[in-house]
Amino acid sequence: MPVPLLTCLLLSGLMLASQPLKSQPPTGELELSAGGFLKVHGLVGDISSDEHLRGNQELWIPHIPVEPDNTDSSRGTLQARNSRLWLRARGPDTPLGRMEILVEGDLMEDMTGYRPRLRHAYGMIGRLLAGQTWSTFTNTAALADVDSGTAVGNTVTRHNVLRWTQPLGERLDLLLALEEPLNRLHPAGQSGFITRSDRREEDIVLRLNAYPDRGNLSVSLLRREISVHSATASPGDNRHGGAISIAGRLETGGLDNLRFAVKYGNALARHSTLGAYPDAVIETDGSLSLNTVYSTLLAWQHYWAPDWRSTFALSHSRSRLPDSAAGTLTRSAVSAQANLVRSFGDQWSLGLEYLHGQRHLKDGRDGQIDRLQLTLRVNF
Amino acid sequence: MTAFRRGILLLLLAAVSACSLDSAPAPSTVSDRRLHAVMTESLDLELARLDTLTFDLHRTPTELDRERARRLEDIARAAQRLRDSAIRIRNLAPTLSLGDYERERFDLLATQLAEQAEALSAAAHHNRLERLTTQMAQIRRTCDSCHSLYRGP
């Protein structure tokens, strides 16, 4: 029996076993709510000569320029594309639990205008969630609180997810999910990636999440099918790989907290370093060579006062690119961010952040960026 | 079970009992007075932690609601412990050298603290975020009143 079908059956069994159907109509009212924030970024620093690149507006590792591309340290940008709006409907209670639907978007669809982009769109009934949202492999409580994009070691994958959350105790959850099987493959001897999501088993993610008194800790396991289906005489190839993530947030005294993540695997590339690494290389004979990746993140958030906070984040990732991979691919990346943010009540915040990013190519070339960013955020 | 293992188990049980805030109070009156002050500071910190969720950058509204619910349950439990501590403080009155009027006022303030802590616990348990700050401010005023009257230099 295929693993995804077995997982579906397991999810269905868990759902029915924990909340048996009753012949009662839904109760309660439907609650509608909306919220979000307006965010304006102004940044100065190293910006590529191609001004429409996403990497010119936030940290995007593949867009860190290397020679012969040019940067202009005297340039600046001003944009509000990271503004967000969410709409939510909750209730009524059903025999399977409370219903919830959430849609969230921002304006990051392209870098030349303000086209809306869908971030989250999911429905929930009780413990079952279906739709587009954070991958179950991501512990969102462990993500570094930085505004200049995201740290290299942050896993920020959002895609289609079918997830069941099973409480194992007051402070322990088990999450089991089937997720969109997107593969990013690099043909040997060529440049760039091929992206495929069809005719593949869904990704399977299992995560154990604990909520001790002083924070949040998770262990996630990921299993993916990496495959290439060829229309030529070449037979194609099909591999299964995995990854593990240990991540969390620990309160270190007062409001301060330490966030960390360590990840490793030969199917990790999809969830690492903002898409800089391929899942595998398609060799000339049609076989696949999986790409082993590891990443680390350490971020300390310190509160100077209740309304003043800073985050100091340091992150690194590296991939063991197969020998046949092109020299222009990224082999490793580093990011370092430090910020100072002042909050004004619950609605306003103003922050200054320094970003340093590096990437190292397989052929030995390096690139780096240094930027200073001012961010205004207004909650509504 | 061998005698050695039994002894270790008893030592562990004794250590856990000594650390538990819910255990029966020690005869010392000083520990109760300091304990309720520590509890009030702890509640202030938990409320401040709740406020930090306002500017969370990554979690969905669904995840933030769950986090708030967990923190509110922590606040509710901490407020219950404060209430219990206030009741123990009130029961200390016969051991203090207080006149009738002072004794009556002491009882009133200790009872007030217990009731306000109970109200804070109920507000947190029922997700009444808008009432938490008000309740906490009332608790601090009661603490300050009692300290100004009965706590020496």
Side-chain angles (χ1 to χ4, degrees):
Chain A
M1 179 182 287
V3 172
L5 178 58
L6 182 62
T7 309
C8 274
L9 290 174
L10 179 61
L11 281 170
S12 304
L14 282 170
M15 185 172 68
L16 291 172
S18 65
Q19 297 193 36
L21 292 172
K22 300 176 184 175
S23 56
Q24 294 177 355
T27 59
E29 296 179 351
L30 183 66
E31 300 172 8
L32 300 175
S33 57
F37 54 76
L38 173 68
K39 209 172 191 189
V40 181
H41 290 311
L43 71 85
V44 294
D46 296 325
I47 295 174
S48 170
S49 55
D50 184 350
E51 61 184 36
H52 297 308
L53 282 179
R54 180 173 181 170
N56 282 344
Q57 303 189 20
E58 61 181 15
L59 177 64
W60 196 254
I61 294 298
H63 291 171
I64 292 179
V66 296
E67 291 294 334
D69 197 5
N70 298 318
T71 63
D72 184 348
S73 298
S74 63
R75 295 184 60 204
T77 66
L78 184 69
Q79 54 93 4
R81 295 188 183 89
N82 294 92
S83 302
R84 285 182 209 165
L85 173 68
W86 56 261
L87 304 171
R88 182 164 64 173
R90 288 196 294 181
D93 290 330
T94 73
L96 297 176
R98 195 170 190 192
M99 286 174 47
E100 178 173 336
I101 297 172
L102 183 129
V103 177
E104 180 183 287
D106 59 19
L107 300 169
M108 294 283 290
E109 182 62 24
D110 69 63
M111 300 299 114
T112 60
Y114 282 82
R115 288 174 55 199
R117 177 185 70 165
L118 193 65
R119 288 174 52 87
H120 301 278
Y122 58 79
M124 294 176 61
I125 298 181
R127 298 169 188 164
L128 185 67
L129 177 149
Q132 176 174 308
T133 188
W134 293 118
S135 168
T136 310
F137 198 64
T138 301
N139 183 341
T140 51
L143 297 175
D145 186 22
V146 292
D147 271 319
S148 54
T150 187
V152 159
N154 276 356
T155 295
V156 289
T157 311
R158 288 189 302 270
H159 56 191
N160 293 323
V161 169
L162 178 66
R163 177 192 305 153
W164 176 265
T165 302
Q166 180 62 46
L168 299 181
E170 191 178 331
R171 298 279 182 162
L172 191 64
D173 287 339
L174 180 68
L175 294 80
L176 177 62
L178 296 177
E179 303 195 353
E180 185 177 348
L182 192 77
N183 284 182
R184 301 177 71 250
L185 307 173
H186 168 70
Q190 300 179 28
S191 62
F193 299 161
I194 300 170
T195 301
R196 291 285 185 270
S197 61
D198 58 318
R199 294 188 290 166
R200 286 164 177 81
E201 296 174 4
E202 283 73 22
D203 295 351
I204 298 174
V205 184
L206 186 70
R207 180 168 125 209
L208 194 62
N209 223 119
Y211 308 95
D213 285 346
R214 299 182 69 86
N216 180 313
L217 181 63
S218 70
V219 178
S220 304
L221 299 174
L222 168 68
R223 179 185 182 275
R224 299 176 61 206
E225 177 188 346
I226 313 295
S227 61
V228 57
H229 307 285
S230 175
T232 66
S234 192
D237 197 3
N238 177 301
R239 301 286 179 95
H240 287 90
I244 181 170
S245 167
I246 299 172
R249 175 198 292 222
L250 298 176
E251 290 160 6
T252 55
L255 295 175
D256 295 358
N257 59 85
L258 186 69
R259 307 178 195 191
F260 63 92
V262 180
K263 305 182 181 69
Y264 178 85
N266 62 2
L268 177 60
R270 164 91 171 93
H271 297 277
S272 178
T273 318
L274 310 166
Y277 308 130
D279 288 313
V281 172
I282 307 173
E283 304 293 354
T284 51
D285 63 358
S287 64
L288 289 173
S289 297
L290 297 185
N291 185 18
T292 298
V293 173
Y294 76 84
S295 73
T296 58
L297 164 74
L298 201 61
W300 181 51
Q301 185 174 58
H302 173 61
Y303 278 76
W304 307 97
D307 293 337
W308 289 90
R309 65 184 185 272
S310 286
T311 291
F312 304 93
L314 185 62
S315 189
H316 173 254
S317 73
R318 188 175 180 87
S319 74
R320 293 182 197 161
L321 288 170
D323 292 339
S324 54
T328 55
L329 293 191
T330 303
R331 179 185 289 281
S332 66
V334 172
S335 68
Q337 286 125 319
N339 63 33
L340 179 64
V341 182
R342 168 76 157 99
S343 301
F344 301 88
D346 290 341
Q347 283 194 297
W348 297 73
S349 74
L350 186 64
L352 187 66
E353 184 164 307
Y354 167 72
L355 160 70
H356 175 77
Q358 293 179 10
R359 72 166 172 145
H360 308 275
L361 303 190
K362 182 169 177 280
D363 61 14
R365 288 182 294 155
D366 297 332
Q368 71 175 45
I369 55 171
D370 291 276
R371 293 176 183 162
L372 203 59
Q373 177 172 301
L374 188 68
T375 301
L376 172 68
R377 170 172 166 170
V378 181
N379 292 336
F380 56 83
Chain B
M1 186 186 292
T2 64
F4 176 72
R5 287 181 181 175
R6 201 177 299 129
I8 294 295
L9 180 59
L10 285 172
L11 279 174
L12 285 172
L13 285 172
V16 167
S17 301
C19 293
S20 169
L21 289 174
D22 292 327
S23 62
S28 167
T29 61
V30 173
S31 68
D32 273 319
R33 285 201 294 271
R34 287 182 181 169
L35 195 57
H36 95 278
V38 169
M39 288 174 180
T40 308
E41 290 169 5
S42 174
L43 277 169
D44 275 333
L45 183 58
E46 289 299 328
L47 287 173
R49 285 203 182 107
L50 203 61
D51 286 342
T52 65
L53 298 179
T54 304
F55 287 98
D56 190 284
L57 190 56
H58 300 290
R59 288 182 274 193
T60 64
T62 308
E63 291 172 314
L64 289 173
D65 278 354
R66 286 202 190 117
E67 183 66 18
R68 280 193 193 94
R70 275 192 288 271
R71 292 185 185 273
L72 285 170
E73 285 302 317
D74 289 343
I75 290 170
R77 279 193 287 267
Q80 284 289 319
R81 289 196 292 270
L82 179 63
R83 185 209 65 175
D84 294 344
S85 182
I87 292 171
R88 286 200 294 270
I89 288 173
R90 185 183 63 192
N91 294 340
L92 291 174
T95 68
L96 304 174
S97 303
L98 299 174
D100 289 344
Y101 174 75
E102 289 174 325
R103 168 98 178 254
E104 186 181 337
R105 185 130 181 95
F106 185 87
D107 281 348
L108 179 69
L109 288 171
T111 301
Q112 190 170 291
L113 179 62
E115 288 172 353
Q116 287 166 348
E118 179 70 44
L120 177 64
S121 177
H125 184 69
H126 293 101
N127 203 16
R128 302 296 299 273
L129 293 173
E130 71 283 0
R131 296 179 58 184
L132 295 183
T133 305
T134 307
Q135 289 297 143
M136 199 61 213
Q138 289 178 354
I139 287 173
R140 281 192 217 99
R141 280 196 293 272
T142 302
C143 290
D144 289 343
S145 300
C146 195
H147 294 166
S148 65
L149 289 171
Y150 301 107
R151 192 162 73 176

